[in-house]
Amino acid sequence: MRSLIESLGSLSLLLVAVASYGCGGAQPPADPAHSSHGINRVAAARGDGANPEAPSSQLGIPVAEGAILEQHLEAKREAEMERPGAKEREHARTGARARTDALVETLPPATRRGLAALEEALVAEINELRRDPAGYRDALTHFGAMYQGDILVVPGYPSVRTKEGKVAVDDALAMLEWAPAAPALTRSPGLTEAARGHAAYLHDTNTLGHGGHDGAAPHDRMDLYGRVQGLYAENIAALYRDAELMILDLLVDDGVETRVHRFNLLGETFTTVGVGCAPHPAHEVVCVIDFAEIYTDESSSVTER
């Protein structure tokens, strides 16, 4: 039987075109000892389908502010609606959004309200990590003390057989020493709804993974509630009903050679985040964390659960 850590090890998706350390996130010192920490392989993709090798002026939306940015997006949307098949695509998008919303509504109201607190706590925990990576070492050291050989024993939760044991913890501790602070992420209503929808899908299908209904990818789900531009990524965490434990687990990233989960958490390029949680038949709870460089929301506030 595969351990929980093994089953979660691949649950991160980073859709960017980056160099070894990717994400625009924490950059290590020029020390060969850290050469294995980077992201070795990532998919080359951008929210607007632009060529990642093109000049920066062609990558997604030009730098703009306020009304200028909105005017640019509106003009782009109008142009897209004139393209062949645009109405059919919009109809499919509306149907997918309605299906996703209906799936979320199948969760009992009391359950949704209880998970809302965990979602808010995860956003706060991510931003605390980004504010002071080195300050997170105390919590990670305490987490590492729960290892008994390669078995992680967290009181109140099932024991987990890890692939690397404390080696992965020590690797994360070393990274936090040099990781620079990153700007706080703004909670996005659209990304929140996209994450909630996928969490509900994982609950409904008793699965763990990035593929959604009819093979929908993270980018497809994000675009149901707004428009993602530039770099984006998705992490999935499970088992722990505690925000700090979930973030610590993603930071350790046991068994994941690229340590992509931790770089997603600390990526300086990302500006917005959405978190959605749902019960999970096999793993108690599952939380989906969606990141984006630029995201234009269709709603101005996060929906109360």
Side-chain angles (χ1 to χ4, degrees):
M1 179 180 295
R2 296 178 66 194
S3 71
L4 175 63
I5 289 295
E6 288 180 281
S7 67
L8 297 182
S10 62
L11 298 184
S12 179
L13 187 66
L14 178 62
L15 298 180
V16 299
V18 292
S20 176
Y21 281 85
C23 267
Q27 304 293 325
D31 182 349
H34 293 291
S35 60
S36 64
H37 292 173
I39 297 174
N40 300 320
R41 294 184 59 193
V42 295
R46 296 186 68 89
D48 58 359
N51 176 5
E53 301 302 325
S56 60
S57 62
Q58 299 180 30
L59 295 182
I61 295 178
V63 176
E65 297 181 1
I68 299 176
L69 176 57
E70 182 54 36
Q71 289 171 11
H72 180 90
L73 292 172
E74 184 60 29
K76 194 166 187 176
R77 283 192 290 267
E78 291 177 357
E80 289 174 349
M81 289 304 294
E82 297 299 322
R83 295 169 58 190
K87 292 183 179 179
E88 290 78 6
R89 288 193 297 273
E90 183 61 25
H91 178 74
R93 176 179 181 269
T94 301
R97 177 168 172 165
R99 182 173 56 246
T100 300
D101 292 343
L103 190 59
V104 172
E105 291 297 319
T106 63
L107 299 176
T111 299
R112 297 201 302 269
R113 288 193 296 271
L115 292 169
L118 178 57
E119 293 169 355
E120 292 177 8
L122 276 166
V123 173
E125 202 67 33
I126 292 170
N127 280 332
E128 178 59 25
L129 168 66
R130 292 168 67 87
R131 184 188 68 82
D132 182 17
Y136 221 77
R137 296 181 80 253
D138 288 343
L140 186 56
T141 298
H142 179 70
F143 188 71
M146 300 181 191
Y147 281 72
Q148 298 177 12
D150 62 350
I151 307 296
L152 175 59
V153 183
V154 178
Y157 296 95
S159 297
V160 175
R161 180 177 297 278
T162 67
K163 296 180 70 174
E164 300 178 71
K166 280 200 66 179
V167 171
V169 177
D170 293 338
D171 181 69
L173 285 169
M175 183 274 293
L176 290 178
E177 286 186 357
W178 53 256
L185 300 175
T186 300
R187 192 181 185 196
S188 159
L191 292 180
T192 297
E193 293 304 318
R196 286 174 175 173
H198 191 52
Y201 172 82
L202 298 177
H203 159 82
D204 188 59
T205 57
N206 191 17
T207 57
L208 287 175
H210 297 287
H213 183 79
D214 289 339
H219 179 274
D220 300 316
R221 299 190 295 271
M222 294 176 191
D223 271 354
L224 292 180
Y225 302 92
R227 179 64 184 269
V228 62
Q229 296 284 338
L231 313 185
Y232 58 95
E234 182 173 87
N235 284 358
I236 298 176
L239 183 62
Y240 303 115
R241 283 185 172 269
D242 180 272
E244 184 181 81
L245 288 173
M246 279 189 164
I247 297 306
L248 289 169
D249 189 45
L250 290 169
L251 268 178
V252 172
D253 225 359
D254 178 81
V256 181
E257 181 182 359
T258 61
R259 308 300 192 201
V260 66
H261 297 84
R262 73 172 65 151
F263 285 101
N264 288 347
L265 291 170
L266 290 164
E268 294 176 351
T269 299
F270 298 130
T271 63
T272 60
V273 67
V275 177
C277 300
H280 195 279
H283 300 298
E284 183 67 20
V285 66
V286 60
C287 291
V288 177
I289 307 171
D290 286 336
F291 306 88
E293 178 182 5
I294 300 174
Y295 190 81
T296 305
D297 283 289
E298 293 184 357
S299 175
S300 60
S301 61
V302 175
T303 303
E304 295 293 332
R305 297 209 75 174

